[in-house]
Amino acid sequence: MQNWMKMRPAIVAVIAIALGSPIVIFAQAPHYDLLLKGGHVIDPANHIDEVRDVAVFQGKIAAVEKNIPADQAGKVVDVSKLYVTPGLIDIHFHVGHGGAPLDWFSPDARAHFIPLGIPADLALQSGVTTIVDAGTSGAETFLQEKEEVIDHARIRVLAFLNIVANGMNGGLEQTPDQMDAKLCADTIKKYPDLIVGVKTAHYWTKEPVDAAHALWTAVDRAIECGTVANVPVMFDFWPRPERTYADLILKKMRPGDIHTHVFAQQFPILLEDGKLNPILTEARARGVIFDVGHGAGSFWFRNAVPAAKQGFIPDSISTDLHTGNYTILSMNNVMSKFLAMGVPMDDVIRRSTVNPASEIRRPELGTLSVGKDADIAVLELMHGHFAYIDNGVAKMNANVQLTARMTVRAGRIVYDPSGLSMVEWEKARPQYFSTPDRGDSLPAKADDYPRD
Ligand SMILES: [Zn+2]
């Protein structure tokens, strides 16, 4: 960080003499490091949905007000005609490789799945500043994920711990002995700053029932861990006649538990007559949370569109990004689908910020409240001809698209591909035009604002 950013702005008193009397004039140095000026601020946690300026100082939100003078900030960014929202939160993401072997193609590897995780910082491209790894790792593999990914990411990475100690894709997801509720809870208690919940997924989806695999084992052990550790459980679930979706959301899940992949093909979202299945409303009334978790196989327009039309919108919007879908999916893409389905902008933002923050019990995130980390998304809502696809290889035409223009994480500009915060090159300061000698410490850049 540059020295000028560390200094509390000095108030310089200038004594002037006028008409023979001493008058004190205050000339102020900049109050703020960064000022996003003229954007439409949507901050559902603070009920703000109007044009405001957002000021940042020392990595924290310093003010969200109308007409903050430009001369009060070291760097001013014109964000008029754009939306300014809290940094988005994607609570279903995959980083690291869980239990999958890095050398996954070696003949003696237990599983031959490509590791699920993708680079955490890719999410910054969508204005996301917090991702939650959805159970890629378990108790035996979490430390590796922490050391290899979480500790080095610019984006904030939290995690749901897989009830399977080895994690996902290591070939042990169908092994009940791996589902040790005590080991799971002990691990969560060891990393309370990073682990926000438990995840269960992919268990005994179609295999014939046998004595070694009770159908509810993964669900029951995950809930046991969540209860002991006092955290929510996220469920990836496959219903079968002996293990129904109604049983999951009406009997097994506790208030605050999260069903992800809600619009996947396997769930009875609609009744035969096209009406919304009342079990969803009933589950909601008892505190069950529904999450999108789009992924490579969990989003069908035939479920999502009629449900949205009947007022059932998932509580949180998330991607389930992993190596199997990152080329076509992003947080902005999933949010755009909900805008295209008629969900209003402020509601889409709510379900991508304050709602997920509350689901993972991190109310300090997903807001632009003064004093909180300056995690900010600058978004553009474009109108034109667009189309979106689902996992059933069907498409939907639309006239809106949301795209991130700039991402700020703890006050640092971490994504600004169109140079919103930058000067036109012809107008750059002299050192930009210099050719530094080897070892010259002067960076030949157009400004000194902290960027990554
Ligand atoms: Zn997932």
Side-chain angles (χ1 to χ4, degrees), residues 92-94 116 134 168 199 202 236 261 320 322:
H92 194 146
F93 202 96
H94 291 280
L116 269 189
M168 277 183 191
K199 176 79 186 293
H202 315 149
D236 163 314
H261 304 316
D320 187 17
H322 54 71

Side-chain angles (χ1 to χ4, degrees), residues 354-374:
V354 66
N355 281 13
S358 141
E359 291 169 24
I360 59 171
R361 302 184 191 167
R362 297 293 167 111
E364 73 276 17
L365 304 178
T367 169
L368 296 174
S369 295
V370 170
K372 303 295 185 228
D373 276 359

Side-chain angles (χ1 to χ4, degrees), residues 277-431:
N277 191 334
I279 63 171
L280 296 168
T281 319
E282 213 181 310
R284 241 184 195 166
R286 54 183 296 273
V288 164
I289 306 288
F290 294 95
D291 175 63
V292 176
H294 187 302
S298 301
F299 188 86
W300 260 253
F301 283 129
R302 69 163 168 82
N303 278 339
V305 174
K309 275 203 179 113
Q310 294 175 66
F312 180 83
I313 320 288
D315 299 278
S316 45
I317 294 174
S318 66
T319 59
D320 187 17
L321 270 165
H322 54 71
T323 42
N325 59 32
Y326 72 101
T327 53
I328 56 162
L329 207 57
S330 71
M331 186 68 169
N332 291 162
N333 174 266
V334 183
M335 294 166 81
S336 295
K337 287 174 189 178
F338 281 87
L339 290 167
M341 288 189 284
V343 181
M345 179 70 176
D346 63 327
D347 208 10
V348 167
I349 298 302
R350 173 184 300 277
R351 289 164 206 273
S352 312
T353 55
V354 66
N355 281 13
S358 141
E359 291 169 24
I360 59 171
R361 302 184 191 167
R362 297 293 167 111
E364 73 276 17
L365 304 178
T367 169
L368 296 174
S369 295
V370 170
K372 303 295 185 228
D373 276 359
D375 292 356
I376 305 168
V378 177
L379 306 168
E380 180 170 10
L381 183 60
M382 298 182 293
H383 299 269
H385 296 291
F386 304 102
Y388 300 101
I389 60 174
D390 72 6
N391 299 127
V393 293
K395 76 171 175 181
M396 182 175 74
N397 293 315
N399 57 18
V400 284
Q401 185 160 86
L402 192 67
T403 188
R405 293 286 302 278
M406 187 165 100
T407 309
V408 177
R409 165 80 184 103
R412 300 178 80 85
I413 296 173
V414 288
Y415 179 72
D416 181 15
S418 56
L420 276 185
S421 66
M422 299 173 199
V423 68
E424 286 167 48
W425 73 270
E426 298 97 326
K427 296 174 187 163
R429 62 187 180 182
Q431 70 200 60

